[in-house]
Amino acid sequence: MPELKIEARIENLDQVLTFIEKNLETWDCSMKAQMQIAIAVEEIFVNIAHYAYAPAVGTVRIRLENPDNVDMVQITFTDKGIPYDPLAKEDPDVTLSAEERQIGGLGIYMVKKSMDAMFYEYKDKQNILQIRKKIK
């Protein structure tokens, strides 16, 4: 199980994306799935970096798994920041123009739409967010 523990800082985003890309390539992930996963990982990591520990800095653990199915990847983000369930927030009304929509929520909405499954739980004083995507 590949795992990366890193400070949740925007400056570390390239390291996170390199870690994800390198592992997806070893699992023969399709280019389309790699791009969708990279966008989702970027959105989630940036949100953790901006909000989980603000104004302080903490760590995030990112774990990749290929559970029971060689065509599926599961990526789990774990942090000890402020409890926050991104799935509890109502989806933005994408039928409205950008000027009419409320600010925020569009990134997580895109992640929800591009992944095959997304789960959140707060357990043992940790945020645990999991995304799953078919890779072939």
Side-chain angles (χ1 to χ4, degrees), residues 86-135:
L87 303 179
K89 186 173 171 60
E90 191 173 315
D91 289 341
D93 184 349
V94 293
T95 63
L96 298 174
S97 69
E99 295 81 28
E100 295 174 306
R101 264 194 314 262
Q102 288 186 336
I103 295 174
L106 194 56
I108 289 296
Y109 173 75
M110 290 179 1
V111 172
K112 282 196 252 182
K113 292 297 180 188
S114 65
M115 296 295 105
D116 294 308
M118 194 168 173
F119 308 95
Y120 170 84
E121 70 175 322
Y122 187 75
K123 184 178 177 183
D124 300 326
K125 298 184 180 179
Q126 297 182 107
N127 292 294
I128 303 167
L129 181 65
Q130 197 175 82
I131 57 175
R132 292 182 186 163
K133 179 73 179 166
K134 290 181 183 172
I135 58 175

Side-chain angles (χ1 to χ4, degrees), residues 42-62:
E42 179 174 347
E43 177 65 27
I44 293 166
F45 181 78
V46 167
N47 282 346
I48 294 169
H50 277 296
Y51 305 114
Y53 299 99
V57 175
T59 59
V60 60
R61 189 179 68 208
I62 304 167

